[in-house]
Amino acid sequence: QVQPVESGGGSVEAGGSLRLSCAASRGYEWTKCLAWFRQLPGKEREAVVGLDSKGGPTYYANSVKGRFTISQDSGKTTVYLQMDSLKPEDTAIYYCAARYCRYSYCACGSQQSEYAYWGRGAQVTVSS
């Protein structure tokens, strides 16, 4: 499906782990970047991490480096966000965003405007 579909999320205590999944695909001629954004309560949506069409990750949020890991399945249709050592300040709605490029390398970006397709979001709540 062109539109990303997220799964996972939930509630966990500080120090715990959660994994989010995002499935998205298009025709064979399209490459893609899949990225995770999050929106903290009362804040603007921010980029967390993206995986480009060559499988290269870019971490945008310094606060998650070393704790969050992005990966994909062998079929390159699903990306995962493994979140370890979670903190209460990670509490947010996490959105998966897709950017498609035709017959070319597809880079990721940190701006919402670079992504045409969005998932509905997954709530992540970390309690202290």
Side-chain angles (χ1 to χ4, degrees), residues 43-101:
K43 298 292 183 65
E44 295 289 321
R45 195 175 297 185
E46 64 176 6
V48 178
V49 60
L51 196 70
D52 65 26
S53 61
K54 293 185 178 179
T58 301
Y59 291 85
Y60 301 108
N62 290 327
S63 63
V64 308
K65 290 179 180 178
R67 300 189 298 120
F68 290 13
T69 305
I70 192 169
S71 62
Q72 66 180 349
D73 68 338
S74 58
K76 298 183 179 181
T77 60
T78 302
V79 295
Y80 305 99
L81 184 64
Q82 178 66 39
M83 303 181 290
D84 298 319
S85 302
L86 282 162
K87 304 176 181 180
E89 51 264 43
D90 294 317
T91 295
I93 301 174
Y94 285 73
Y95 297 90
C96 183
R99 177 172 183 257
Y100 296 95
C101 303

Side-chain angles (χ1 to χ4, degrees), residues 28 110 122:
Y28 72 94
S110 62

